[in-house]
Amino acid sequence: MLKDLPQNIVEDVAIAVALEGEGPESKVWYVYLINLKNEELENALVTSRGYGHKDGEEVKTSVLRHVFPKVGSKSFALIEPIDEQTFGLNNEYWLSYYIKDQIYDKKFIFLPESIVESNFIRLPVLNKPGVMIR
């Protein structure tokens, strides 16, 4: 039965962690859903969670859910702020959305220590520095 389901491949959609600003003691980071398509995304659902090991202990963050009724073409949606203390964990974002009557989904995982300045790019649409998974 699974073989009968369409293989809807997610393309031209990304999750990005952007550096918003820097203070004397900390940096401000936000996570965005970026739609690079020429079509809008409908009923986008993003679940986020962090997990891994820190100081020899297993750590799990709360699961958060975010819904966006529409994400326009060549635009973005702010998902959530992210704390630098979670950068040592796997930060997982599971995205599901519709285009017309077809559903698409994909899991994006920022691995521990992947959100670092040496991995920064200029994020498309946002025009901010950050790290992006496509």
Side-chain angles (χ1 to χ4, degrees):
M1 285 196 247
L2 276 175
K3 65 179 176 56
D4 298 328
L5 294 174
Q7 293 289 337
N8 294 336
I9 297 173
V10 173
E11 294 178 320
D12 298 328
V13 177
I15 301 291
V17 177
L19 177 61
E20 295 289 325
E22 295 185 57
E25 296 180 21
S26 66
K27 296 178 180 178
V28 178
W29 302 86
Y30 286 105
V31 181
Y32 291 92
L33 166 59
I34 302 176
N35 180 10
L36 301 167
K37 293 181 166 298
N38 291 321
E39 301 172 274
E40 75 177 8
L41 311 180
E42 298 174 359
N43 296 318
L45 169 67
V46 179
T47 59
S48 64
R49 70 185 186 118
Y51 58 90
H53 291 86
K54 191 167 188 175
D55 301 326
E57 304 251 341
E58 186 175 357
V59 177
K60 291 182 183 179
T61 67
S62 299
V63 175
L64 302 175
R65 292 169 184 83
H66 311 276
V67 176
F68 306 99
K70 295 195 184 300
V71 180
S73 68
K74 306 288 186 192
S75 70
F76 63 89
L78 172 63
I79 297 173
E80 64 188 13
I82 187 170
D83 190 319
E84 275 184 299
Q85 293 181 29
T86 66
F87 291 176
L89 302 174
N90 293 299
N91 288 284
E92 176 185 292
Y93 296 88
W94 196 328
L95 168 66
S96 296
Y97 61 90
Y98 285 87
I99 294 179
K100 297 181 177 54
D101 63 345
Q102 295 291 307
I103 190 166
Y104 297 79
D105 73 330
K106 183 175 181 178
K107 192 183 294 185
F108 300 83
I109 301 174
F110 291 91
L111 297 174
E113 309 305 333
S114 63
I115 306 169
V116 293
E117 197 167 328
S118 61
N119 292 336
F120 279 12
I121 61 167
R122 179 64 52 186
L123 298 171
V125 181
L126 290 170
N127 198 28
K128 295 179 181 181
V131 178
M132 180 174 80
I133 299 175
R134 231 173 147 162

